Amino acid sequence: MSHDLPPTDPAAESDSQTPADERWAPEKRRNSSRASTYLALFLVAAVGGAGLFFSGFMLGRLNGQTPGTSDANQELFRPFWDAYKDVTTNYVGEVDPHLLVEGAIDGIFQALGDPFSSYLTEEEYRSSLGGLSGEFEGVGIEMATMEGGNSCTTISEGCRLTVTHVVRGSPALEADLREGDVLLAVDGTSTLGSTLQLVVPTVRGPKGSTVTLTIERDGAQLEVPVVRDVIQREDVQSEVVAGGKIGYLKVLGFSSASAADLKEQLRVLIEERGVKALILDLRDDPGGYVDAAHKIASEFVGTSPLYWEQGAGKEPEAKNPDPGGVATDPTIPMVVLVNSGTASASEIVAGSLQGSGRAQLVGQKTFGKGTIQEFKELPGAGGYRLSVRKWLTPDKTWIHGVGLTPDVQVDLPAEPDPAVDVVLDKGIEVLLEKIDSAPPPAPAPPPAPSPTPTPAGWLSVLLAA
């Protein structure tokens, strides 16, 4: 884009061609004052003309600049703005300026070559944030299409859409929906011939609205109206295994509520169920909020640092555990189950527990994502996620593209049996060996003998009673 030329200064032109005036006949005694007058006029015109010239030059210069582009980047962005102006002015087809802007922003992130940094349309941006928070509006059921115990695609008389889980505290639980219920219709529309992906959006809907589900239970059809609400996805599941000796916790994602949920379930396992060891299953956990990872790791690790964070051009900063962790006692042995699907925030937790010596990793090498992203909104144009920091293990190792190597490698069979979990079985085996080899607790010291009371002692006893 060329700069506008500065406007011609009319004042300078008129004063440089001052016409002769016969009333000012040359007189010797006036020559000096007349010369001074001409000089003063010339200086005023020259200064005034220079001011107008400079003002015009700056106006043209500012007109040539683009909003948001610094002086140092004017030449760098000139080809972009030239192309944009040419497309919007001369392209023979239809032009949507909004799409051009989105495409340009998308190109910036594609040029980074970072799969974790990307432009997001408005719909994608909202969906991504909703997925991270673990919240959605619906009834609170999980479903799967099953035929003869195996998964299937198109819903039919044989391939049935079945409720596999009812979320705790959900409207579905209040409406008495149960695991094993078969979903036949949604608001009178049959599910036959459809798919799970097409049915789920019809079950979900805005908070406060009602959806009527037609289900089959024990051979009978029931019409169940359910009032939708905001549902918090259950990211933490727990149970007791190995005859009550080991507490098992499965984390499916690091949402805004997962840390508090894990803390409560962990407390129940240790304080109420009295487990002797713990398994934390992070297999196929794609991650989520770093804050949730920090809190969850703090439940198990009481030593510093948990991990490190490093911003662009900065030194690593230690991230230390939050106080009050439920299971920081090193006498409670732990293993963490991992695989190639263990990524991002789940790797932060796994790396923290392994690097601090709190737990052994059992399974296969993890994914290897060592960057942290921030989501930022672009009003009117969606938003983006950008890799802004690295995270490092307690010994400052960056595992990006490498992953965490398990302490106990477990190779999966070529043809796995769905009824057998070889990684979980190995984790239980490792912990049972630790429990059996642990020294018995030291006996409590015998109570000190009570002194023979003297008469004064008897008096104090009576007063105390």
Side-chain angles (χ1 to χ4, degrees):
M1 179 181 293
S2 59
H3 296 303
D4 295 333
L5 293 174
T8 305
D9 189 352
E13 289 179 349
S14 62
D15 282 343
S16 63
Q17 299 175 3
T18 305
D21 190 340
E22 292 182 356
R23 291 176 300 170
W24 292 90
E27 297 180 16
K28 186 174 183 178
R29 56 189 177 85
R30 287 183 169 180
N31 282 346
S32 176
S33 70
R34 209 165 19 165
S36 299
T37 302
Y38 287 156
L39 179 59
L41 290 173
F42 176 77
L43 289 174
V44 170
V47 172
L52 289 173
F53 177 88
F54 181 75
S55 299
F57 174 78
M58 288 303 296
L59 177 63
R61 185 170 181 271
L62 290 174
N63 286 338
Q65 288 184 337
T66 52
T69 305
S70 65
D71 290 344
N73 287 326
Q74 286 296 315
E75 290 301 317
L76 178 65
F77 277 85
R78 183 189 297 273
F80 169 80
W81 288 111
D82 285 347
Y84 180 83
K85 182 178 180 181
D86 196 28
V87 169
T88 55
T89 304
N90 299 321
Y91 178 60
V92 71
E94 295 292 330
V95 176
D96 185 338
H98 189 76
L99 291 180
L100 291 182
V101 171
E102 287 187 347
I105 300 172
D106 187 32
I108 291 175
F109 287 93
Q110 289 189 27
L112 294 177
D114 177 9
F116 309 112
S117 298
S118 62
Y119 169 69
L120 303 167
T121 64
E122 292 187 30
E123 182 177 350
E124 291 170 338
Y125 186 76
R126 289 194 301 269
S127 177
S128 295
L129 292 183
L132 283 172
S133 69
E135 292 184 349
F136 61 92
E137 293 181 318
V139 301
I141 56 175
E142 297 175 8
M143 299 178 290
T145 46
M146 304 293 294
E147 183 172 12
N150 298 316
S151 62
C152 50
T153 304
T154 303
I155 302 169
S156 64
E157 293 295 339
C159 179
R160 319 209 75 187
L161 182 57
T162 306
V163 176
T164 58
H165 180 68
V166 181
V167 177
R168 298 189 302 268
S170 67
L173 190 63
E174 293 181 8
D176 196 32
L177 287 173
R178 307 173 189 176
E179 293 182 17
D181 288 345
V182 177
L183 184 59
L184 303 178
V186 179
D187 284 333
T189 301
S190 174
T191 60
L192 290 176
S194 189
T195 64
L196 174 65
Q197 290 73 22
L198 293 176
V199 172
V200 166
T202 66
V203 177
R204 290 185 178 182
K207 175 183 177 180
S209 61
T210 300
V211 60
T212 300
L213 305 179
T214 304
I215 64 168
E216 180 183 304
R217 179 188 300 163
D218 299 328
Q221 286 192 16
L222 303 172
E223 299 286 331
V224 183
V226 188
V227 179
R228 299 179 176 105
D229 203 343
V230 175
I231 308 299
Q232 179 63 54
R233 186 181 65 222
E234 287 183 352
D235 280 337
V236 183
Q237 301 168 359
S238 64
E239 60 180 303
V240 175
V241 298
K245 295 181 179 180
I246 299 174
Y248 170 86
L249 295 129
K250 170 69 176 174
V251 182
L252 301 172
F254 289 77
S255 65
S256 55
S258 60
D261 195 7
L262 178 134
K263 186 182 187 74
E264 175 57 22
Q265 295 190 49
L266 185 58
R267 185 196 64 77
V268 171
L269 288 173
I270 293 176
E271 298 179 6
E272 298 182 15
R273 306 298 296 274
V275 299
K276 305 299 182 184
L278 293 167
I279 293 175
L280 181 63
D281 192 346
L282 298 178
R283 289 176 294 175
D284 298 316
D285 185 333
Y289 288 127
V290 174
D291 181 58
H294 186 114
K295 291 178 180 177
I296 287 177
S298 298
E299 297 298 337
F300 305 101
V301 180
T303 57
S304 300
L306 284 177
Y307 59 97
W308 300 77
E309 284 188 15
Q310 184 175 16
K314 298 180 180 179
E315 292 297 317
E317 177 185 357
K319 296 298 178 178
N320 300 319
D322 297 332
V326 175
T328 58
D329 184 355
T331 63
I332 303 176
M334 276 192 70
V335 297
V336 180
L337 308 185
V338 295
N339 65 4
S340 60
T342 303
S344 192
S346 59
E347 287 181 291
I348 292 178
V349 174
S352 175
L353 270 67
Q354 183 188 46
S356 64
R358 179 67 184 90
Q360 289 183 296
L361 304 190
V362 177
Q364 299 91 45
K365 182 174 286 190
T366 65
F367 181 83
K369 180 177 179 291
T371 55
I372 297 172
Q373 286 68 44
E374 282 185 354
F375 284 73
K376 295 185 179 180
E377 185 178 5
L378 294 171
Y384 59 87
R385 59 178 183 177
L386 180 65
S387 300
V388 294
R389 294 187 298 280
K390 299 176 180 179
W391 71 267
L392 315 172
T393 59
D395 64 356
K396 294 187 178 180
T397 299
W398 194 38
I399 58 100
H400 195 68
V402 178
L404 296 165
T405 301
D407 302 284
V408 181
Q409 177 75 31
V410 180
D411 297 322
L412 300 178
E415 297 182 2
D417 182 352
V420 178
D421 189 337
V422 294
V423 177
L424 176 58
D425 290 345
K426 188 63 178 180
I428 293 174
E429 177 187 328
V430 170
L431 288 178
L432 289 178
E433 290 179 359
K434 291 181 179 294
I435 293 173
D436 293 340
S437 62
S450 301
T452 302
T454 62
W458 283 112
L459 179 60
S460 64
V461 171
L462 291 173
L463 290 175

